[in-house]
Amino acid sequence: MLLDRVDLTITAEPPGASRDAAFDHALEVLRQRRDEFRELGYVPKEYINLLKKAGIYRASTPATFGGEPQPPAEFLEQIEEISTIDPATGWVASFGSALTYFSALPYSTQEKLYKKGIDLTFAGGMFPMVEAEKVEGGYIASGQWMFASGCAGADILGIGLKGGPETEGKPVTALVHPDDVEIVENWDVAGMRSTGSNNVVVKDLFIPEEYTFIRGGTPTIEEPLTRYPALAYAAQVLAVTTLGAGRGALDYIRDQGAGTKSVTGGAAKGNRSVYKLGLAHAEAELRSARSYFYETTRDVWQKAVDDTPITTEDIVYLRIAATHAAQAGRKAVLAAFDLAGTGAIYNSHPLQRFLQDGLVPAQHAMLQENTLEASGALLMGFEAGIPSFP
């Protein structure tokens, strides 16, 4: 059975100074190893374990089962900080929020799962959704799924199955053990390479129904974090990596511009009008997007804490803030690249990390321009035009 083979012996340090020190240690190791992760094409398991010790992978474990769920803004700030060093590792760490999906599992399944441990790393390849054969007690699935970010370090994997009328068009996630899949190493990309978002394949795999749930489905437990909109949160944790990329890029530009001279012998690059204006404009736009992002997050979280109704409009504003953050972070990275000049075209240049990774989140289906169109439609009372949105 799935849970018999899951090893959850690595646990977080106690809250407070020990856990803060574990997080700081993980950041320092990341500074030293980020280039290695890019060469590998994934974040290795031993580094995931450092993030576990820092509490990243219990951030969405329900309190009902002994977890220490974090307010979304606090978790997002941690992912942003990781992403200022390496956005791809931030992307992998962001799935510390993914256990919010697990709240739609049967209560008894969650009880058994978290009895094994509450520091759980989940990765999923959801698409394309596959039509599984319904059999007594579960499903038999065969197929290949794309974009399984973080699959190299996951304790449990998820694969996407087609839902029916009973799921209202939402996909079904089936939980499987990493040993039951083949990982196809086809993640040959320029951006977010360290996420290791390879394909996963299963063949005639039986999956008990108790290990399936509707992605974004109704929670079987009642807590503030299970009341917070799950699909919007999934968009937010990806968007915040771009805020981190933008911050890392602008910090580099500021530090370099303060002291370097042009190779042509002219005035320091940073003392040119275009450099100073460009940096100031980029800072204003990035900080504005960030403020809106966190303000909206905290407003909706307070409703979840107070158990007051979270409206469609509330969720729409979360989606707008997430897409806007991804696009604003992307613009900040491009502004930094423009200001850096010719040197930034070299693969070895420090800005390449932020450029290559920072352009990717806004390409994601959850953060593309059409999500803004769908949001505007809902605000005016029209159909969103995107399944399961917002």
Side-chain angles (χ1 to χ4, degrees):
M1 295 294 288
L2 171 66
L3 297 185
D4 295 335
R5 295 179 288 156
V6 175
D7 179 9
L8 298 179
T9 54
I10 303 296
T11 61
E13 295 291 336
S18 295
R19 192 173 299 173
D20 292 343
F23 185 65
D24 290 342
H25 175 63
L27 294 180
E28 184 55 38
V29 171
L30 182 58
R31 289 186 185 94
Q32 298 168 7
R33 298 188 63 187
R34 56 190 176 181
D35 291 335
E36 175 195 341
F37 296 169
R38 182 173 177 79
E39 286 297 315
L40 286 171
Y42 61 90
V43 179
K45 185 77 170 180
E46 71 267 16
Y47 187 78
I48 296 295
N49 288 341
L50 294 184
L51 294 177
K52 281 190 176 186
K53 288 181 177 295
I56 295 296
Y57 291 103
R58 63 170 56 187
S60 59
T61 304
T64 301
F65 303 110
E68 300 168 8
Q70 284 183 269
E74 289 183 10
F75 179 76
L76 290 164
E77 285 172 338
Q78 286 187 297
I79 301 306
E80 183 183 10
E81 190 169 358
I82 294 169
S83 300
T84 62
I85 300 171
D86 186 55
T89 301
W91 184 281
V92 173
S94 78
F95 295 109
S97 67
L99 300 190
T100 53
Y101 288 137
F102 283 24
S103 64
L105 280 165
Y107 185 95
S108 59
T109 302
Q110 295 182 66
E111 196 170 36
K112 287 185 285 187
L113 174 64
Y114 295 122
K115 190 174 182 180
K116 293 276 294 187
I118 62 174
D119 297 277
L120 175 63
T121 311
F122 173 70
M126 290 301 300
F127 299 100
M129 291 179 288
V130 168
E131 188 81 54
E133 179 187 357
K134 187 74 172 71
V135 296
E136 184 177 355
Y139 300 87
I140 295 178
S142 296
Q144 183 166 179
W145 292 262
M146 303 170 66
F147 305 124
S149 299
C151 59
D155 299 310
I156 293 178
L157 296 175
I159 54 176
L161 308 181
K162 285 183 181 178
E166 72 282 2
T167 72
E168 299 178 348
K170 294 178 181 177
V172 172
T173 300
L175 303 184
V176 299
H177 193 275
D179 290 346
D180 292 331
V181 311
E182 175 192 356
I183 295 177
V184 180
E185 296 184 359
N186 64 335
W187 190 238
D188 184 15
V189 293
M192 290 290 181
R193 175 166 166 74
S194 302
T195 64
S197 304
N198 291 298
N199 287 12
V200 297
V201 176
V202 303
K203 178 68 174 175
D204 295 329
L205 179 65
F206 174 72
I207 303 158
E209 189 165 9
E210 64 179 316
Y211 295 131
T212 66
F213 61 91
I214 299 172
R215 186 168 179 254
T218 303
T220 57
I221 57 173
E222 179 74 8
E223 292 185 10
L225 197 55
T226 66
R227 293 193 286 267
Y228 192 83
L231 293 177
Y233 196 21
Q236 287 185 288
V237 299
L238 301 181
V240 80
T241 65
T242 321
L243 290 180
R247 171 50 47 215
L250 293 184
D251 285 351
Y252 175 84
I253 286 297
R254 180 178 178 180
D255 291 344
Q256 292 299 302
T260 59
K261 289 187 177 181
S262 169
V263 295
T264 63
K269 188 181 294 185
N271 204 26
R272 299 173 187 173
S273 294
V274 68
Y275 200 103
K276 292 179 285 189
L277 285 169
L279 176 61
H281 280 304
E283 283 284 357
E285 292 180 13
L286 183 66
R287 289 173 182 267
S288 296
R290 185 180 187 276
S291 293
Y292 174 49
F293 180 82
Y294 283 109
E295 175 188 322
T296 309
T297 301
R298 291 188 175 99
D299 286 347
V300 177
W301 173 246
Q302 192 58 54
K303 286 192 167 188
V305 171
D306 295 340
D307 198 12
T308 58
I310 294 173
T311 66
T312 297
E313 186 169 313
D314 291 327
I315 304 172
V316 164
Y317 286 131
L318 287 176
R319 297 302 300 265
I320 291 173
T323 298
H324 181 57
Q327 298 190 5
R330 184 183 207 178
K331 290 176 182 176
V333 169
L334 287 170
F337 180 72
D338 286 344
L339 294 175
T342 307
I345 69 174
Y346 286 89
N347 283 328
S348 59
H349 195 280
L351 277 181
Q352 281 295 325
R353 170 178 294 103
F354 300 116
L355 179 69
Q356 293 177 26
D357 290 353
L359 299 187
V360 173
Q363 301 289 111
H364 194 281
M366 280 189 155
L367 299 169
Q368 289 179 7
E369 189 79 9
N370 67 333
T371 60
L372 293 179
E373 180 184 2
S375 296
L378 289 174
L379 290 177
M380 292 186 291
F382 301 134
E383 293 293 324
I386 299 177
S388 304
F389 193 88

